[in-house]
């Protein structure tokens, strides 16, 4: 039972990805086009396979971070529109056009650069409505002039991004929406009506910030089955039902009985206080188990939580097998997922590590095999 086919591997559920996408579409139906975000190798769920599932589920847009990610999807035969969200550098501009990628533009100079490519190309313009990261701070009149002066480069979308959409203790999001609307209205007065307007990602969808949905939403985390908790008493109920699509397992390499007073792993930061049965697991921080889980956090072994003992090392992690006395070398344990009555998702793992679920998912390394299941 429960024998490991690899040292460490993830299983990605195709049906969960598809169902999560349908749940987002159902919630925003009639209001907004859903752009699933498959950047960073689809939060490590595998960008090509996930994009295929989403296209089959009716996605006509996808979003990636950079040109290289977009080109990889084109080479794999993905035909949906692809929005490239995190800017581009001069050496990437030709590839944008050759591969029919749609760039997000963050500075008015870039509109002119695109225009000089000499053939029609659509772009989305991002404004900095108060996040203080990428996005233009130009005055609407300057934006209107730059948009109108371009003839090959065509403004198809106006967008912004929220800094703290899940935080209902402060008005930052309301102020961002207001700033966005001010720019959109000023552009409309100049006769500029981009086909798409978008601001919201998972949190703005899941907690129903409908005034931000406009006619497009960019959703990543929820596609993979996660919605971060909101903050504040005023936070509304979460509207979206999604389920984590990925589980992560690793093999037990060795099981040992150690006496009282044994120091475990680098630095000897854990000392046994009684005789213990320990398991040495074939995954460490090089696989993506956060080093900060050293002496904290837990995996699931034999259907029970098994505390991590000592330092998480590069290739190995040691756990307490007191509650799983029957496990043997070659058996699997669960890092993310469900065994028996015990469940641990990326959010719970991240909390123990003082991190966030996004970072835990993206941190699952290339060394971890990826299998797709139904
Ligand atoms: C990553 C990203 C998203 C998706 O965010 P989620 O919280 O994963 O839904 C949306 N928009 C931009 C600009 C992003 O960088």
């Amino acid at each position: 039972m429960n024998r490991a086919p690899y040292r460490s591997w993830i299983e990605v559920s195709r049906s969960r990805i598809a169902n999560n996408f349908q749940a987002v579409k159902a919630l925003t139906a009639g209001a907004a086009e859903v752009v699933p975000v498959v950047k960073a190798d689809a939060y490590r769920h595998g960008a090509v396979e996930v994009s295929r599932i989403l296209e089959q589920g009716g996605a006509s847009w996808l979003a990636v971070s950079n040109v290289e990610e977009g080109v990889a999807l084109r080479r794999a035969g993905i035909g949906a529109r692809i929005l490239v969200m995190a800017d581009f550098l001069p050496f990437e501009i030709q590839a944008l056009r050759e591969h029919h990628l749609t760039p997000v533009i963050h500075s008015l100079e870039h509109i002119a650069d695109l225009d000089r490519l000499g053939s029609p190309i659509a772009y989305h313009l991002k404004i900095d409505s108060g996040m203080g990261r990428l996005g233009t701070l130009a005055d609407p009149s300057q934006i209107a002039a730059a948009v109108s002066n371009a003839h090959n480069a065509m403004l198809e979308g106006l967008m912004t991004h929220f800094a703290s959409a899940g935080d209902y203790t402060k008005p930052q999001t309301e102020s961002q929406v207001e700033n966005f609307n001010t720019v959109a209205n000023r552009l409309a007065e100049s006769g500029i009506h981009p086909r798409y307007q978008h601001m919201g990602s998972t949190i703005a969808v899941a907690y129903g910030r409908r005034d931000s949905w406009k006619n497009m939403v960019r959703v990543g985390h929820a596609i993979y089955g996660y919605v971060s908790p909101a903050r504040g008493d005023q936070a509304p109920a979460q509207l979206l039902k999604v389920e984590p699509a990925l589980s992560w397992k690793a093999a037990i390499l060795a099981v040992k009985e150690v006496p009282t007073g044994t120091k475990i792993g680098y630095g000897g930061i854990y000392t046994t206080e009684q005789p213990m049965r320990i398991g040495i697991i074939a995954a460490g921080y090089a696989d993506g188990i956060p080093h900060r889980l050293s002496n904290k956090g837990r995996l699931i072994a034999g259907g029970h939580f098994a505390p991590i003992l000592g330092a998480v090392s590069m290739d190995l992690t040691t756990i307490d097998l007191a509650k799983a006395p029957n496990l043997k070398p070659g058996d699997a344990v669960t890092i993310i997922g469900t065994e028996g009555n015990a469940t641990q998702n990326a959010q719970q793992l991240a909390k123990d590590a003082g991190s966030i679920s996004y970072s835990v998912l993206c941190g699952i390394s290339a060394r971890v095999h990826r299998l797709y299941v139904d």
Side-chain angles (χ1 to χ4, degrees):
M1 52 146 281
N2 206 22
R3 300 295 287 175
Y6 297 105
R7 293 175 73 91
S8 180
W9 75 102
I10 56 177
E11 292 175 6
V12 176
S13 161
R14 289 193 179 91
S15 58
R16 290 242 173 128
I17 299 272
N19 293 343
N20 292 340
F21 178 43
Q22 295 311 321
V24 173
K25 286 210 296 188
L27 181 57
T28 54
E33 167 108 28
V34 179
V35 183
V37 177
V38 296
K39 65 188 176 187
D41 199 22
Y43 299 32
R44 291 305 284 154
H45 295 63
V48 168
E49 190 62 28
V50 167
S51 297
R52 286 184 181 139
I53 297 164
L54 295 168
E55 271 196 327
Q56 274 168 20
S60 47
W61 280 87
L62 297 167
V64 296
S65 183
N66 59 52
V67 171
E68 205 171 305
E69 292 177 344
V71 170
L73 292 183
R74 285 286 181 254
R75 294 209 164 118
I78 299 298
R81 296 287 304 277
I82 298 178
L83 189 67
V84 178
M85 298 191 297
D87 219 342
F88 55 87
L89 289 156
F91 60 84
E92 297 174 299
I93 195 165
Q94 285 294 343
L96 273 173
R97 189 187 51 174
E98 278 165 31
H99 296 275
H100 305 286
L101 306 175
T102 306
V104 172
I105 297 285
H106 306 91
S107 78
L108 302 186
E109 296 75 56
H110 268 169
I111 299 178
D113 292 343
L114 271 194
D115 204 46
R116 277 193 291 274
L117 284 174
S119 56
I121 182 165
Y123 66 93
H124 291 213
L125 179 67
K126 185 173 184 178
I127 61 170
D128 180 357
S129 58
M131 181 166 184
R133 208 180 58 174
L134 282 174
T136 181
L137 288 167
D139 187 81
S141 60
Q142 297 172 299
I143 297 175
V147 167
S148 308
N149 286 340
H151 300 289
N152 296 312
M154 295 169 299
L155 179 68
E156 183 187 32
L158 188 69
M159 64 182 277
T160 195
H161 192 52
F162 294 136
S164 57
D167 189 347
Y168 285 83
T169 67
K170 46 188 193 197
Q172 188 176 10
T173 306
E174 285 73 13
S175 129
Q176 286 197 257
V177 171
E178 198 178 309
N179 293 340
F180 179 89
N181 286 337
T182 301
V183 175
N185 293 339
R186 292 273 304 278
L187 291 181
E189 285 162 17
S190 308
I192 295 171
H193 305 277
R195 169 150 180 225
Y196 296 110
Q197 292 190 16
H198 46 115
M199 299 186 244
S201 48
T202 291
I203 289 180
V205 169
Y207 294 97
R209 287 190 182 271
R210 290 172 202 270
D211 58 341
S212 78
W213 292 358
K214 301 296 175 183
N215 63 352
M216 189 173 248
V217 291
R218 310 179 303 267
V219 178
H221 217 27
I223 299 294
Y224 310 105
Y226 288 92
V227 176
S228 300
R231 294 180 59 183
D233 299 339
Q234 307 299 316
Q238 219 247 94
L239 304 172
L240 196 59
K241 287 253 176 311
V242 289
E243 287 184 282
L246 174 155
S247 58
W248 182 10
K249 297 181 186 177
I252 299 178
L253 291 169
V255 173
K256 297 208 294 200
E257 306 280 351
V258 294
T260 305
T262 302
K263 292 191 187 310
I264 307 286
Y266 282 119
I269 60 170
Y270 184 89
T271 306
T272 59
E273 285 172 2
Q274 69 273 323
M276 286 181 88
R277 186 177 182 85
I278 63 172
I280 322 300
I281 308 304
Y285 62 77
D287 300 274
I289 298 180
H291 182 257
R292 292 272 302 274
L293 288 181
S294 296
N295 258 347
K296 336 185 244 195
R298 54 205 195 168
L299 309 186
I300 304 172
H304 299 279
F305 287 112
I308 292 173
L309 307 177
V312 172
S313 48
M314 188 182 293
D315 311 307
L316 303 169
T317 300
T318 302
I319 58 171
D320 179 359
L321 287 183
K323 291 191 181 149
N326 299 326
L327 289 187
K328 308 174 298 301
D331 287 342
V333 301
T334 297
I335 302 164
I336 291 174
T338 299
E339 265 188 44
N341 292 325
T343 290
Q344 169 156 272
N345 64 29
Q347 232 149 34
Q348 292 154 335
L349 194 79
K351 196 166 183 202
D352 284 339
S355 181
I356 58 172
S357 49
Y358 293 78
S359 174
V360 165
L361 292 173
C362 291
I364 298 173
S365 83
R367 185 161 84 177
V368 178
H369 289 261
R370 185 163 51 213
L371 312 178
Y372 291 92
V373 297
D374 289 344

